[in-house]
């Protein structure tokens, strides 16, 4: 199976969706409520899976969420095996993904620059008029 095959893409998406559902329903108080799975990349041999997780919160909440996910890794893998019918259930490794937070921050900066430009433009029009 090639790395970018349609079958592998379908498996990645199915694993991502199921992991999102499993993590959302975990009862661990360390896992922040605003935790989402941004991607899951399953190796072609179905032995490993790299899971990118985005956490909306403070640095402490992010660290606690990652600790909670690491300690729940066996349970999450067991639930994934129960739900998905794969030849092998991949070993999970979690990584923090801060791309969503970075995008929000950049969007806010762009909006701030646009509003300052509009204020400067309206100030110039008042001076001329």
């Amino acid at each position: 199976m090639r790395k970018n095959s349609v079958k592998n893409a379908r498996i990645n998406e199915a694993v991502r969706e199921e992991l999102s559902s499993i993590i959302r329903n975990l009862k661990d108080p360390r896992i922040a409520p605003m935790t989402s799975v941004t991607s899951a990349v399953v190796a072609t041999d179905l032995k490993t899976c790299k899971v990118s997780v985005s956490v909306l919160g403070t640095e402490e909440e992010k660290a606690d969420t990652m600790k909670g996910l690491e300690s729940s890794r066996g349970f999450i893998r067991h639930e994934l095996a129960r739900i998905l019918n794969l030849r092998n259930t991949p070993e999970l490794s979690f990584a923090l993904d801060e791309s969503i937070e970075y995008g929000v921050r950049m969007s806010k900066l762009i909006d701030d620059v646009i509003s300052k430009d509009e204020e400067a433009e309206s100030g110039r029009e008042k001076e001329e008029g």
Side-chain angles (χ1 to χ4, degrees):
M1 182 168 38
R2 292 186 323 271
K3 193 169 197 166
N4 57 356
S5 71
V6 174
K7 182 179 180 182
N8 198 302
R10 274 197 326 257
I11 290 172
N12 288 344
E13 185 59 25
V15 168
R16 188 195 64 76
E17 286 177 9
E18 294 305 330
L19 285 174
S20 283
S21 176
I22 293 167
I23 290 171
R24 192 175 323 112
N25 295 322
L26 282 177
K27 302 289 188 233
D28 192 333
R30 295 176 290 185
I31 298 175
M34 294 299 287
T35 301
S36 61
V37 178
T38 54
S39 72
V41 180
V42 180
T44 54
D45 62 358
L46 302 177
K47 299 281 187 197
T48 60
C49 177
K50 294 177 184 173
V51 183
S52 298
V53 179
S54 176
V55 180
L56 206 60
T58 63
E59 291 300 318
E60 183 181 334
E61 288 174 326
K62 291 176 185 178
D64 286 346
T65 297
M66 295 310 291
K67 287 177 189 171
L69 288 173
E70 285 299 322
S71 68
S72 302
R73 184 187 340 196
F75 174 77
I76 294 170
R77 184 174 183 225
H78 171 74
E79 287 297 302
L80 189 63
R82 191 177 59 77
I83 295 168
L84 291 178
N85 186 17
L86 294 174
R87 182 171 17 114
N88 296 320
T89 303
E91 196 64 46
L92 303 173
S93 63
F94 295 99
L96 189 60
D97 179 12
E98 297 183 344
S99 62
I100 294 175
E101 209 167 288
Y102 177 78
V104 168
R105 188 170 55 245
M106 293 310 275
S107 180
K108 183 182 180 315
L109 288 172
I110 291 169
D111 290 344
D112 290 347
V113 168
I114 290 172
S115 66
K116 286 180 184 177
D117 283 351
E118 289 172 351
E119 288 173 12
E121 185 72 27
S122 65
R124 275 188 247 131
E125 289 175 359
K126 287 180 183 177
E127 289 177 4
E128 291 175 2

